[in-house]
Amino acid sequence: MKTVRCSILGFGAIGQGVAEVLLMKKEYLKSIGLEVLVVAVVDSKGATINPEGVDLADCLARKRTGGTVAIEKLTGVEVIRSVDHELVIETTPTNIVTGGAGLQNMFAAFETGKDVVTSNKGPLTLKYGELMEAAKTAGSNFRFEATVGGSMPIINLANEVLAGNNLRSIKGILNGTCNYILTRMLEERASYKDILAESMELGIAETDPTYDVEGIDTACKLVILANAIFGLDATYKDVEVTGITKITPEALEMAYERGHVIKLIGEVSRERIHVAPRLVPINHPLAVRGTLNVASIDTELAGEITVTGKGAGPIETASAILSDLVAIYGNR
Amino acid sequence: MRVSMDIELKDVPGQMLLALQPLSEFKANLITVLHHHQKRTPRKTVPVQLVLETKPENIVAIKAKLEENGIRVVRVGEQRFRESINVVLIGHVVHTGIQDTIDEIDKTGFAEVVDLSLCMPGINLLSSALIRIDAVGKEDLQKALDILKEVSVKKDLLMVLPIDIHA
């Protein structure tokens, strides 16, 4: 049995999802020879630390009732530097302007020779090259499948499963909130404003939906794909971005009468990175409904490969984090 | 490829046969023949428009053979409007001059707006239009879309293009 000592930095929806999945998958992990011991959980107020393994069920309960897991007033970086462990699971909130706590956590993790698995897009969008370099210098593993498309496999699919193929482009729907809004506007013949309000009520859109509806979130995911799959050194500034705020129910209806739906499509190739609403034929593989994400990879040998799945949600995102964890430590 | 050809025939019996024989000789597939018998040219000849499908390398030989048969070939061109797409425009489509937007495409000569659906839900609300553009070839279509993109930027319209078009 191999013991993996890890910290969970960021205990919002995703961090809690990871804790739940680790509890749920304890027996499975044992069956493949892994014991994942969480030695620290950190949220914005502080940390719970136990070198013998913290009680995840207790952390979840305390977070839900008291709003925090904080027992000791320590930050993520302090935990990384003072607590002995191999893996940092980085699930702090995305900040694409500064990189936020996530960026500091990742650099600190590599400086101390730790592996990192993350769902946090911000640092990767801003400093992909530097982070890869730091990981490489430290000899650390760095995996981030959860940053793009939630549970939907895309980065590992392109780089590992489709290895050897020359990939020409990836096109798809990478933001579930926009897909939900456009789907519902057509179904209900309702305005953007009304459906946005509905999405907020259901928790599908955030209170400040700007990142999603202006196409910024999609653009960040494309930057990660451009760097991780196409080997570019792109940042957010390299993306042409148009969001969905101007789309009208009338436009959706006229398009539908001619056999098309309107979707916010992200597109990345070696030549360009682009986000815009596009007309998609109703029977096209990218014309998925609701909050689903979808991506089509245009490959040299295998033709078009399309994957679809849930792009958000704590458990779904934790599924991608778990698969990265198993990819690093399983079968070793 | 599909080619349109404007020729002129002398108004004497047997001319059409002389016109069709080179096509048959080069195994060109004749799609349409428009015989404008009532429209004489100043040269007293009868204009005829042909559309045929043939290999590109045969076009020069067909033209030479026609001229050898005494038939004047006025124009040879790629068949018009083989490409067609739908584009959605959202914004103040009407107030910024929809006619002007259409004219920008139409005046190119290689592309035309052939269909327009328009919805204006209310004053101060964004209008939506769905237009169909036909163009001679793929490159012409791309050029027409580049023009439309420029117009859309100028008029602050959101242009929604089909997914298979290079946006």
Side-chain angles (χ1 to χ4, degrees):
Chain A
M1 185 76 60
K2 180 182 170 59
T3 301
V4 181
R5 286 162 304 165
C6 70
S7 59
I8 300 175
L9 307 188
F11 210 55
I14 309 288
Q16 293 174 51
V18 171
E20 279 181 49
V21 165
L22 287 178
L23 285 172
M24 225 188 276
K25 290 289 171 184
K26 205 170 178 170
E27 289 308 312
Y28 158 76
L29 289 166
K30 258 190 198 157
S31 77
I32 59 162
L34 284 182
E35 186 196 16
V36 179
L37 201 64
V38 179
V39 293
V41 176
V42 182
D43 65 19
S44 56
K45 296 196 177 68
T48 294
I49 297 166
N50 184 349
E52 308 297 315
V54 300
D55 181 344
L56 287 177
D58 174 60
C59 284
L60 286 166
R62 278 191 291 127
K63 183 77 182 178
R64 273 161 205 165
T65 51
T68 180
V69 294
I71 293 173
E72 297 177 55
K73 214 164 165 42
L74 284 176
T75 65
V77 171
E78 286 164 343
V79 166
I80 289 169
R81 294 196 192 285
S82 62
V83 181
D84 195 21
H85 59 294
E86 296 90 53
L87 169 70
V88 171
I89 299 177
E90 219 298 321
T91 56
T92 57
T94 289
N95 180 325
I96 63 152
V97 182
T98 64
L103 187 63
Q104 309 312 320
N105 290 342
M106 288 179 200
F107 277 128
F110 296 139
E111 274 166 29
T112 52
K114 295 179 177 59
D115 298 326
V116 174
V117 170
T118 188
S119 58
N120 187 345
K121 290 182 289 290
L124 285 132
T125 310
L126 281 172
K127 307 236 169 182
Y128 183 86
E130 282 178 52
L131 284 165
M132 290 314 280
E133 196 53 47
K136 203 175 146 196
T137 309
S140 297
N141 289 290
F142 184 26
R143 295 180 75 100
F144 40 86
E145 178 64 58
T147 57
V148 183
S151 66
M152 180 182 83
I154 177 87
I155 298 168
N156 300 340
L157 173 66
N159 284 342
E160 291 164 22
V161 183
L162 291 171
N165 260 282
N166 179 23
L167 307 183
R168 299 189 189 99
S169 70
I170 298 175
K171 270 185 201 179
I173 300 173
L174 301 175
N175 184 280
T177 307
C178 288
N179 199 19
Y180 179 82
I181 292 173
L182 293 173
T183 304
R184 291 286 296 153
M185 280 174 72
L186 176 64
E187 281 173 0
E188 297 296 320
R189 212 183 180 284
S191 74
Y192 166 75
K193 255 189 180 169
D194 290 349
I195 298 296
L196 179 63
E198 179 193 277
S199 313
M200 284 178 180
E201 236 167 72
L202 292 170
I204 291 169
E206 294 182 35
T207 8
D208 177 5
T210 316
Y211 269 28
D212 291 328
V213 297
E214 296 291 355
I216 300 165
D217 174 71
T218 303
C220 290
K221 289 166 178 167
L222 290 178
V223 168
I224 295 173
L225 296 181
N227 294 335
I229 297 173
F230 292 96
L232 304 181
D233 187 20
T235 65
Y236 178 74
K237 290 190 193 82
D238 300 311
V239 193
E240 300 163 60
V241 190
T242 310
I244 62 162
T245 54
K246 264 189 160 185
I247 302 292
T248 61
E250 296 80 18
L252 285 159
E253 202 175 357
M254 284 192 285
Y256 192 74
E257 279 165 12
R258 282 169 177 73
H260 290 78
V261 283
I262 297 177
K263 299 288 182 189
L264 186 71
I265 298 291
E267 197 178 344
V268 53
S269 66
R270 281 178 191 83
E271 289 73 42
R272 69 197 297 247
I273 317 172
H274 184 256
V275 184
R278 304 290 285 270
L279 291 167
V280 181
I282 289 165
N283 55 7
H284 194 282
L286 295 188
V288 300
R289 298 172 63 247
T291 57
L292 282 176
N293 277 212
V294 61
S296 231
I297 311 174
D298 184 13
T299 75
E300 170 204 16
L301 303 175
E304 290 241 326
I305 305 268
T306 305
V307 281
T308 183
K310 286 186 180 159
I315 299 297
E316 290 82 354
T317 306
S319 138
I321 290 175
L322 179 71
S323 78
D324 275 346
L325 187 154
V326 173
I328 297 175
Y329 303 103
N331 306 321
R332 274 195 178 179
Chain B
M1 71 186 283
R2 202 172 266 216
V3 179
S4 69
M5 205 176 262
D6 294 355
I7 59 173
E8 290 178 12
L9 303 182
K10 290 174 198 140
D11 193 16
V12 291
Q15 287 293 301
M16 190 55 102
L17 197 63
L18 287 176
L20 298 182
Q21 175 258 327
L23 306 187
S24 145
E25 194 180 322
F26 287 96
K27 296 194 168 51
N29 181 23
L30 192 58
I31 312 283
T32 53
V33 183
L34 280 174
H35 193 234
H36 300 284
H37 207 268
Q38 69 292 0
K39 278 197 216 163
R40 296 303 165 92
T41 69
R43 291 175 290 283
K44 311 277 187 231
T45 55
V46 180
V48 174
Q49 283 179 302
L50 306 174
V51 176
L52 47 112
E53 206 140 28
T54 185
K55 291 180 182 154
E57 62 268 27
N58 287 343
I59 295 167
V60 174
I62 290 172
K63 186 174 177 247
K65 196 82 186 176
L66 286 166
E67 281 166 346
E68 209 179 294
N69 283 356
I71 291 159
R72 189 181 153 93
V73 180
V74 185
R75 193 191 69 87
V76 179
E78 254 190 82
Q79 164 67 344
R80 287 178 70 78
F81 302 150
R82 297 187 59 201
E83 298 295 327
S84 178
I85 63 157
N86 290 311
V87 179
V88 167
L89 296 173
I90 303 170
H92 294 293
V93 184
V94 181
H95 294 149
T96 54
I98 183 91
Q99 185 63 50
D100 166 72
T101 307
I102 295 170
D103 284 349
E104 289 291 325
I105 303 292
D106 286 358
K107 75 183 180 196
T108 60
F110 53 73
E112 267 178 39
V113 174
V114 294
D115 193 13
L116 165 73
S117 306
L118 185 63
C119 193
M120 302 155 51
I123 294 168
N124 293 329
L125 290 177
L126 295 179
S127 302
S128 309
L130 196 147
I131 61 176
R132 206 179 93 213
I133 300 174
D134 283 1
V136 175
K138 277 196 180 357
E139 278 179 22
D140 301 294
L141 189 65
Q142 196 60 55
K143 275 188 237 165
L145 289 175
D146 290 343
I147 294 169
L148 190 62
K149 193 174 176 185
E150 241 172 73
V151 174
S152 299
V153 170
K154 225 188 303 170
K155 297 184 174 182
D156 194 25
L157 305 178
L158 169 65
M159 182 163 96
V160 182
L161 288 171
I163 189 163
D164 51 353
I165 287 284
H166 189 78

